[in-house]
Amino acid sequence: MQRQTDFDINNLFIERWSPRSFDSNHKMEKKDLETLLEAARWSPSCFNEQPWRFYYTLNGSDNFDKHLDWLVDANSAWAKRASALLFIVAKKTFSKNSKPNKHSWFDSGAAWMAFTMQARMMGLYTHGMAGIETDKINEGLGLDDDHEVICAVAVGKKADPSQLNSDQKEDEKPNSRKSLEDISFSLD
């Protein structure tokens, strides 16, 4: 399917999608992952709190397989071929006064978008996952009540979908979007 926009936007947005077929032969250099994290670091946030925390592991490291266990089985089955695996965590209170930061997830989402768009500019793909083992992650990262895991992210080079099971192969393509009329409403 060819994605079609109603207005002229940069192709980077159209080409962003979340594959499950990753090239297991692609080894990510730590400096490349740090470039992605640097893009996320410059995201906007409420009161400049920067509540996002990115915990990562590179495929081939001693701990990669252990962290795959923090994903539900359906996700770990394909994410094992990704070049890196991340867990995005939000700090739920403001550092300056310990009051609740009800925007921590929103701001962490902005950082995630910056991360994923930088990945596309580098020829990489990302796939965010809500199918995670929250209790295992909380324990494994030693998270306190002030931190909440949001999602996991697989990142790497896209590969041929033949390595996926039949259900995953069927979904392995960019999808469409709701119309602007469905998501935007003029107040004028």
Side-chain angles (χ1 to χ4, degrees):
M1 174 186 72
Q2 179 72 22
R3 285 178 157 183
Q4 298 293 319
T5 62
D6 293 336
F7 296 91
D8 189 27
I9 61 172
N10 190 292
N11 280 340
L12 188 66
F13 294 95
I14 303 162
E15 294 169 359
R16 190 228 50 86
W17 67 286
S18 303
R20 290 179 180 87
S21 56
F22 285 100
D23 181 355
S24 60
N25 294 317
H26 177 260
K27 299 302 176 207
M28 180 173 284
E29 299 292 328
K30 187 175 180 186
K31 68 177 178 52
D32 290 335
L33 183 59
E34 289 171 338
T35 298
L36 301 176
L37 294 167
E38 180 70 7
R41 184 170 80 99
W42 289 97
S43 299
S45 63
C46 182
F47 291 115
N48 197 30
E49 178 65 27
Q50 302 165 48
W52 49 82
R53 307 293 184 263
F54 288 81
Y55 295 85
Y56 62 87
T57 182
L58 295 171
N59 198 337
S61 73
D62 293 339
N63 290 318
F64 188 84
D65 289 340
K66 177 179 104 173
H67 296 109
L68 278 174
D69 190 45
W70 294 358
L71 307 176
V72 297
D73 291 342
N75 285 335
S76 64
W78 58 264
K80 66 185 177 189
R81 291 183 288 275
S83 302
L85 188 61
L86 296 90
F87 298 90
I88 302 176
V89 172
K91 183 177 182 302
K92 300 189 295 186
T93 60
F94 289 106
S95 298
K96 66 181 181 177
N97 60 17
S98 298
K99 290 185 178 180
N101 179 358
K102 66 180 182 176
H103 303 289
S104 64
W105 274 52
F106 180 81
D107 294 345
S108 296
W112 148 242
M113 186 64 169
F115 180 98
T116 202
M117 297 310 278
Q118 181 65 43
R120 283 304 306 128
M121 286 186 257
M122 295 170 62
L124 301 169
Y125 286 85
T126 60
H127 189 119
M129 298 168 273
I132 56 176
E133 300 286 351
T134 304
D135 291 340
K136 288 181 182 180
I137 297 168
N138 288 338
E139 182 180 334
L141 296 178
L143 297 180
D144 59 23
D145 290 341
D146 192 30
H147 293 82
E148 185 172 7
V149 64
I150 299 173
C151 68
V153 178
V155 59
K157 292 273 188 186
K158 189 169 68 75
D160 187 286
S162 63
Q163 63 188 331
L164 300 173
N165 69 39
S166 58
D167 290 337
Q168 293 168 341
K169 281 182 200 173
E170 187 175 315
D171 292 336
E172 190 67 0
K173 61 187 175 292
N175 49 24
S176 63
R177 289 292 182 259
K178 293 178 181 178
S179 71
L180 282 180
E181 291 79 20
D182 290 337
I183 64 164
S184 64
F185 310 94
S186 175
L187 298 174
D188 294 329

